[in-house]
């Protein structure tokens, strides 16, 4: 994708992808409803042109926001318009050739820069080709979640994943500033946020907690307090390989951690 900084669309930030939309994107993408994206390379690119390189689902338009991409040599000013869960964002193991023909058909007219709404027939053909070019188990699992989302079988939840990631980014920016006369908000407003979460097995969590015998897996210390709701030592279950990265929801991929060590695993 020579010259296209939008390649960073697939870089996750705390479980969220922040993406760029071309200037002539469909107005329907801004109505607040989730949409899906199939990313292709320009047919005129010097190398790797006319390829389908990725697919994303559960995307939501959030308005234009400036950002800066920092490379090894220079920084580039960019903007982003939408977010989607990293668990529903897939870079193909092997790009699919013939992107233009798959999306528009043999006689379709191509105009640089816009987004196109796919017909259901074209989408099925593209998904079939993507599946053929998906080789690893982690990619296949992620593609399965994407298909479930497209079929409406992956239910939305109130997990505030995108809002939390954006808020943490703003906190990191504020930490670098000189903070004086911080007033806050005496009447904070609310907003509804929908995203996606994995359906986990509660028995896995219970087994890991019981097997820990009240001690943190990382520091070996006793749980910091007794939970009011369970009457058991309070520890948090952490997936060693995160579910969004293709990890399994099994007892072999989970450990019980104290809150400090759990935060350290994520942010340390």
């Amino acid at each position: 994708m020579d010259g296209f900084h939008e390649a960073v669309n697939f870089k996750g930030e705390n479980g969220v992808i922040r993406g760029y939309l071309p200037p002539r994107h469909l107005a329907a993408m801004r109505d607040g409803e989730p949409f899906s994206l199939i990313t292709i390379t320009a047919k005129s690119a010097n190398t790797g042109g006319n390829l389908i390189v990725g697919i994303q689902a559960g995307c939501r338009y959030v308005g234009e926001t400036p950002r800066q991409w920092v490379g090894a040599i220079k920084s580039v000013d960019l903007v982003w318009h939408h977010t989607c869960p990293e668990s529903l964002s897939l870079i193909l193991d092997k790009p699919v050739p013939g992107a233009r023909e798959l999306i528009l058909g043999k006689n379709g007219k191509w105009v640089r820069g816009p987004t196109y709404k796919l017909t259901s027939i074209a989408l099925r053909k593209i998904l079939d080709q993507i599946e053929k070019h998906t080789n690893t188990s982690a990619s296949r699992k992620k593609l399965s979640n994407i298909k479930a989302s497209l079929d409406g079988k992956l239910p939305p939840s109130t997990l505030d994943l995108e809002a939390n990631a954006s808020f943490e980014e703003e906190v990191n920016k504020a930490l670098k500033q000189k903070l004086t006369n911080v007033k806050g908000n005496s009447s904070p407003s609310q907003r509804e946020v929908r995203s996606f979460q994995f359906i986990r097995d509660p028995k896995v969590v219970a087994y890991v907690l019981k097997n820990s015998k009240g001690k943190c897996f990382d520091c070996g210390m006793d749980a910091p307090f007794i939970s009011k709701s369970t009457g058991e030592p309070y520890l948090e279950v952490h997936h060693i390989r995160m579910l969004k990265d293709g990890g399994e929801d099994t007892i072999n991929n989970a450990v019980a951690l104290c809150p400090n060590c759990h935060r350290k695993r994520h942010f340390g």
Side-chain angles (χ1 to χ4, degrees), residues 98-217:
R100 181 188 297 193
E101 292 75 18
L102 282 168
I103 290 174
L104 298 177
K106 294 182 179 179
N107 301 318
K109 183 179 179 181
W110 183 269
V111 180
R112 183 180 178 184
T115 55
Y116 292 92
K117 184 176 181 179
L118 290 174
T119 65
S120 58
I121 295 175
L123 179 58
R124 283 198 297 270
K125 289 181 178 179
I126 290 170
L127 288 173
D128 287 343
Q129 290 299 315
I130 287 176
E131 189 165 13
K132 292 177 182 178
H133 289 71
T134 303
N135 303 322
T136 66
S137 58
S139 294
R140 286 194 293 269
K141 188 171 184 178
K142 188 173 284 191
L143 180 60
S144 177
N145 286 335
I146 290 173
K147 285 184 174 182
S149 173
L150 293 173
D151 291 338
K153 296 177 181 178
L154 194 63
S157 74
T158 55
L159 179 64
D160 202 349
L161 177 64
E162 293 150 352
N164 282 341
S166 298
F167 182 75
E168 289 169 2
E169 185 176 86
E170 294 302 316
V171 171
N172 291 338
K173 290 179 182 178
L175 286 171
K176 300 175 183 178
Q177 301 171 2
K178 185 177 181 181
L179 302 175
T180 58
N181 195 28
V182 178
K183 296 181 179 179
N185 189 346
S186 59
S187 300
S189 59
Q190 293 180 322
R191 64 172 177 173
E192 179 184 5
V193 178
R194 289 186 175 183
S195 186
F196 297 89
Q197 66 180 167
F198 290 97
I199 299 173
R200 297 171 59 187
D201 187 343
K203 292 182 180 179
V204 170
V205 175
Y207 180 93
V208 173
L209 290 175
K210 282 189 174 185
N211 198 51
S212 71
K213 301 187 185 304
K215 291 188 179 294
C216 173
F217 181 85

Side-chain angles (χ1 to χ4, degrees), residues 32-35 58-62 81-84 162 194-195:
E33 292 298 314
F35 58 87
C59 303
R60 289 183 182 274
Y61 186 81
V62 294
H81 305 94
H82 73 275
T83 63
C84 67
E162 293 150 352
R194 289 186 175 183
S195 186

Side-chain angles (χ1 to χ4, degrees), residues 25-35 61 117:
H25 61 267
L26 299 172
M29 301 170 79
R30 302 194 297 271
D31 65 3
E33 292 298 314
F35 58 87
Y61 186 81
K117 184 176 181 179

